[in-house]
Amino acid sequence: MTGDEPVEESESGEPLADGGAAGADDVALDPWGSSAVSDYRKLFEEFGIEEFDEVLEEVPNPHYLMRRGVIFGHRDYRPVAEALREGEDAAVLSGFMPTGDPHIGHKLVFDEIIWHQQQGADAYGLIADLEANSARGMSWDEIDEHARDYLLSLLALGFDPDEGTLYRQSTNREVQDLAFEIGADANFSEFQAIYGFDGETDVSHMQSVVTQMADILYPQLEEPKPTVIPVGPDQDPHVRLARDLAERTRFFKVSEAYASFELDPEERDLVADFHEKLDPAEFDDDQLRCVHVAEAIEETPLEDLDVPADTLSSVLTKLEEAGMEPVRPRTRFFDRRATDEAFDALIEAVEGEKRVYENHIDAFELEVAEAEELAREVEVDNGGYGFRPPSSIYHRFMTGLTGGKMSSSVPASHISLLDDPEVGYDKVKSATTGGRETAEEQREKGGKADECPVYELYAYLLAGDDDEFAKRVYDECVGGERLCGDCKEQAAQLMREFLEEHQEKRAEVEELLEAADIELESPRKH
């Protein structure tokens, strides 16, 4: 969930990227490993990440990282975008594992947090010190030193500590208590499947995962609200688990139903289809009944049903056992873990026609969206969390300046936000480019901006909010007008200016950090 792993890779920096670059045969997402994403399109197919372009028009004042396709994907971001548009409560949270200097790759996450804060969201920045200690073996002295550097850069880039929340995992008791509670809904076999944990994995590492789940849900501790977690795609396993755990903590599950008994999603879709098509008069009845639907299904050729044989058998059994019960659409509140008081309160709160059963309530005059809000309201009023599944946005990884992976352990591959400005200048001047073999060939065929780490610097950082400038650099490169030497010189000068300005601001916010409500030294030192 830290979203700032030191191994990073990307294929494109075009201002309006298409969300993917060709290359890899498969994609592995490992939050702590050395995996890199070479084909972003596969994330849409294999992990259910949605293309950000599809939601871009719904975002108020979109950040340039969104406009240029650097933020390429999302999970369920629409509720957050809607809250920002309407001035309603929303939150943003991401964390930083302090294992080295903050570099320009980390700045992507800093910018995403700050932009959401400026749009009105409650902003949370956390230091994942428990994760750094357990998963990376960092000492508390090392963690403290790096944590301070991350926080100073976050503040220097515009995070408002008076309007936002900064904390470290190890000293936030609310997060630790929440981790203990939601840990009861997670198990080791699940961690094996998601993270590849085995008998050699130490308990502290596993505990740090549960703590990260608590971090992700922490902004909703006082009240449920749409919450977004900006991360790199390698952190998606954390987001998926957090969404699952948010659902498991809920008192009630809300769904569509058609009879008093429970149907799984495939069965429900089949019954819904026949409910839509059938006329009770065909069965000499004034209501459509379970036996009528069963009869119609049995008379339909299997190839026309497009359902597995076991699904067909199961739904027919349920319908036939229900007999003459009417098939009627309704919204169902299923009791997952509600207290007796909460269940009774929900019965009282459901208006209009309803049916009450031992484990669920069926409402005939409520839409699903209304029912979900009602269930959450009753849950919160009766001591539950009412968590909304957290949303996420995903940014492309930056290519290392030397090509391939950007790594904190390879100084030449990245530019630290702490680098001397002249060192930053020299690193850009020495960077690999997407240029041709000769200047003549470059003028004739154009450069390969999509494969150029230097162009990425323009698109991700150096062009700032100026889309026209970013596009001009791109067009001049691929059109053969811009040669690599001149391009790198301009980028190097802009990088030097950025580092000078950033480090001046870091010095200016020292007092802000000292006054912020966050422990700068770990009490866990021995």
Side-chain angles (χ1 to χ4, degrees):
M1 189 272 298
T2 51
D4 62 342
E5 294 307 304
V7 180
E8 305 180 342
E9 186 177 67
S10 176
E11 260 61 35
S12 174
E14 186 174 350
L16 297 176
D18 66 359
D25 294 324
D26 51 39
V27 177
L29 299 181
D30 179 356
W32 302 286
S34 58
S35 64
V37 177
S38 297
D39 188 344
Y40 290 93
R41 286 189 299 260
K42 287 188 179 290
L43 297 174
F44 307 136
E45 301 163 9
E46 297 183 23
F47 297 100
I49 292 174
E50 299 177 74
E51 296 188 50
F52 195 84
D53 278 353
E54 296 174 0
V55 75
L56 181 61
E57 290 185 357
E58 302 174 39
V59 180
N61 309 311
H63 192 275
Y64 71 78
L65 295 173
M66 298 173 174
R67 302 195 303 265
R68 294 176 196 161
V70 178
I71 294 174
F72 70 92
H74 74 100
R75 278 193 191 279
D76 195 25
Y77 187 68
R78 283 186 172 85
V80 177
E82 180 180 0
L84 297 180
R85 281 198 318 273
E86 303 298 327
E88 298 172 352
D89 288 343
V92 58
L93 174 143
S94 201
F96 309 98
M97 186 159 58
T99 56
D101 289 349
H103 57 62
I104 56 174
H106 303 126
K107 182 181 178 291
L108 298 178
V109 185
F110 294 150
D111 286 343
E112 292 169 70
I113 294 174
I114 293 164
W115 177 85
H116 280 90
Q117 185 181 47
Q118 291 169 345
Q119 305 311 305
D122 297 332
Y124 295 76
L126 70 101
I127 297 298
D129 56 354
L130 292 178
E131 183 184 4
N133 182 259
S134 62
R136 293 294 175 84
M138 301 287 292
S139 73
W140 293 106
D141 282 330
E142 292 173 312
I143 289 170
D144 287 350
E145 177 184 355
H146 295 312
R148 184 181 186 86
D149 287 331
Y150 277 90
L151 292 168
L152 280 173
S153 283
L154 179 62
L155 294 175
L157 289 166
F159 184 91
D160 185 346
D162 293 329
E163 296 296 326
T165 300
L166 300 173
Y167 72 90
R168 53 194 301 161
Q169 291 173 326
S170 62
T171 59
N172 189 320
R173 187 55 195 244
E174 287 184 312
V175 165
Q176 293 176 41
D177 288 346
L178 180 58
F180 181 83
E181 289 191 43
I182 63 177
D185 290 303
N187 57 65
F188 179 65
S189 62
E190 190 169 37
F191 283 10
Q192 282 181 304
I194 297 173
Y195 301 112
F197 287 171
D198 56 28
E200 299 300 312
T201 305
D202 64 68
V203 175
S204 291
H205 193 173
M206 289 185 278
Q207 185 179 3
S208 77
V209 171
V210 182
T211 303
Q212 288 181 76
M213 300 304 102
D215 287 326
I216 292 172
L217 298 175
Y218 179 58
Q220 300 189 62
L221 203 52
E222 290 188 7
E223 63 173 343
K225 68 187 76 170
T227 301
V228 61
I229 314 299
V231 288
D234 58 339
Q235 302 296 301
D236 183 58
H238 292 324
V239 175
R240 281 180 279 142
L241 178 57
R243 288 175 63 84
D244 286 345
L245 288 172
E247 288 292 335
R248 291 177 213 172
T249 64
R250 295 297 308 280
F251 281 8
F252 304 101
K253 176 184 178 181
V254 177
S255 64
E256 294 178 301
Y258 285 85
S260 62
F261 49 88
E262 196 70 16
L263 296 168
D264 70 27
E266 278 189 308
E267 295 170 345
R268 187 166 57 244
D269 289 345
L270 183 61
V271 171
D273 184 45
F274 276 83
H275 174 270
E276 191 72 24
K277 293 188 298 188
L278 295 176
D279 183 350
E282 297 174 22
F283 304 93
D284 296 323
D285 207 327
D286 61 348
Q287 291 195 71
L288 188 66
R289 302 181 186 276
C290 290
V291 290
H292 301 154
V293 177
E295 180 183 333
I297 291 175
E298 285 182 312
E299 292 174 353
T300 304
L302 182 60
E303 59 268 21
D304 294 340
L305 294 174
D306 193 28
V307 294
D310 56 346
T311 297
L312 180 60
S313 174
S314 172
V315 75
L316 285 173
T317 297
K318 292 176 181 178
L319 289 167
E320 288 164 356
E321 287 177 351
M324 297 298 288
E325 179 185 340
V327 175
R328 295 177 62 197
R330 76 284 305 270
T331 299
R332 171 159 298 156
F333 300 88
F334 185 81
D335 183 356
R336 275 177 163 167
R337 59 198 304 166
T339 61
D340 291 341
E341 292 78 11
F343 193 78
D344 290 342
L346 183 60
I347 295 171
E348 185 70 24
V350 174
E351 297 181 350
E353 184 183 357
K354 58 193 167 190
R355 298 285 185 275
V356 179
Y357 301 88
E358 183 178 359
N359 292 315
H360 65 269
I361 304 165
D362 287 352
F364 294 88
E365 299 175 23
L366 272 181
E367 297 295 328
V368 169
E370 296 175 277
E372 287 176 342
E373 289 306 309
L374 180 62
R376 181 172 286 110
E377 182 181 323
V378 169
E379 179 178 337
V380 172
D381 288 345
N382 286 271
Y385 292 119
F387 290 136
R388 295 178 182 270
S391 307
S392 49
I393 52 177
Y394 302 91
H395 56 258
R396 294 168 178 269
F397 290 137
M398 293 190 75
T399 307
L401 296 177
T402 52
K405 301 168 182 176
M406 179 177 287
S407 173
S408 292
S409 61
V410 182
S413 76
H414 73 273
I415 294 175
S416 165
L417 297 178
L418 310 184
D419 275 344
D420 183 279
E422 291 304 323
V423 172
Y425 174 92
D426 291 339
K427 284 183 178 180
V428 176
K429 289 285 287 184
S430 301
T432 300
T433 71
R436 304 290 180 175
E437 293 285 332
T438 65
E440 290 72 19
E441 187 181 4
Q442 177 94 348
R443 292 190 180 97
E444 178 185 349
K445 298 180 179 178
K448 295 179 282 188
D450 292 331
E451 301 174 15
C452 181
V454 176
Y455 174 69
E456 281 189 11
L457 293 178
Y458 284 101
Y460 289 39
L461 169 65
L462 299 178
D465 203 44
D466 190 343
D467 287 345
E468 289 187 10
F469 176 43
K471 188 175 188 308
R472 184 166 68 251
V473 172
Y474 182 87
D475 290 343
E476 288 176 356
C477 173
V478 299
E481 302 169 53
R482 176 175 284 252
L483 300 182
C484 293
D486 293 339
C487 188
K488 285 205 290 186
E489 174 63 29
Q490 184 181 27
Q493 291 181 19
L494 290 171
M495 182 61 71
R496 178 168 56 197
E497 292 170 10
F498 165 75
L499 290 174
E500 287 173 351
E501 180 182 349
H502 180 66
Q503 289 166 21
E504 287 174 6
K505 288 183 177 178
R506 279 173 56 92
E508 292 171 7
V509 299
E510 285 269 5
E511 292 183 4
L512 274 182
L513 180 58
E514 295 297 334
D517 186 20
I518 183 172
E519 298 83 349
L520 298 177
E521 292 192 10
S522 171
R524 299 191 174 218
K525 294 180 182 179
H526 296 298

